[in-house]
Amino acid sequence: MGVMTRWLDPDEQRTWRAFLTASRALMETLDRELQRDAGMPHAYYEILVRLSEAPQRQLRMTDLARASGSSRSRLSHAVARLETAGWVVRRDCPTDRRGQVAALTDAGFAALAAAAPGHVEGVRRHLLDALSPAQVDQLRRISETLVDHLDTDRPLS
């Protein structure tokens, strides 16, 4: 006999739908604002952030994909667009002939620096200001638990 489905009870269903709706609305709002104010989607912003925080502002493409939560093919497409904008350059990895390194250019760092204040204000306005300090702490702890449960390879910081 097959495994029985563990259906969601009404409270679990409300929790799931509220989480899904809030997550989507928050990310769509932040993405729309970044696109409007900085000319880039959130996925590109995340790539620039990860590169800006890396040693020498560069990462192997595989590490960048893992850190940004992107597939290698999606990341490759995004980095190509960022290269066209002059914000990132790709070069061969010195330690792995098959690998590539993505590096943040000075222009890319400037674009990130210009986008960051508005994005941070959006995160504050749309997420943090709506919660009490205790709720912010709970949200962080819940989110860390989910990341640990779902993906042990993705760094939190």
Side-chain angles (χ1 to χ4, degrees):
M1 194 180 233
V3 176
M4 284 194 35
T5 300
R6 296 184 319 142
W7 297 107
L8 302 181
D9 68 31
D11 282 342
E12 291 169 332
Q13 184 72 268
R14 279 184 49 225
T15 301
W16 166 241
R17 289 198 176 149
F19 170 79
L20 191 61
T21 302
S23 298
R24 284 182 181 159
L26 176 63
M27 293 314 297
E28 287 170 4
T29 299
L30 294 174
D31 194 59
R32 191 171 47 252
E33 288 179 354
L34 264 172
Q35 192 69 55
R36 180 194 68 210
D37 299 339
M40 73 178 85
H42 193 266
Y44 293 9
Y45 180 86
E46 182 68 20
I47 290 167
L48 297 180
V49 166
R50 296 297 176 163
L51 290 174
S52 78
E53 294 172 344
Q56 289 93 44
R57 295 184 184 161
Q58 63 183 25
L59 282 171
R60 287 179 50 131
M61 289 288 286
T62 52
D63 295 333
L64 182 56
R66 188 176 310 114
S68 62
S70 192
S71 70
R72 288 211 303 245
S73 62
R74 182 175 289 153
L75 176 70
S76 184
H77 176 75
V79 168
R81 299 289 297 271
L82 292 169
E83 278 185 298
T84 300
W87 295 347
V88 171
V89 292
R90 243 187 300 204
R91 44 184 170 259
D92 292 334
C93 181
T95 58
D96 176 4
R97 291 192 339 214
R98 295 174 308 168
Q100 284 194 312
V101 171
L104 186 64
T105 65
D106 289 343
F109 189 79
L112 177 61
H119 178 61
V120 169
E121 179 55 36
V123 170
R124 183 166 297 291
R125 186 173 59 251
H126 303 305
L127 176 65
L128 300 174
D129 289 350
L131 303 175
S132 70
Q135 288 173 316
V136 171
D137 184 62
Q138 291 167 339
L139 179 62
R140 179 190 45 77
R141 287 188 283 121
I142 290 166
S143 298
E144 289 171 349
T145 298
L146 290 172
V147 169
D148 288 345
H149 174 72
L150 296 170
D151 186 357
T152 57
D153 290 338
R154 186 179 302 169
L156 283 175
S157 58

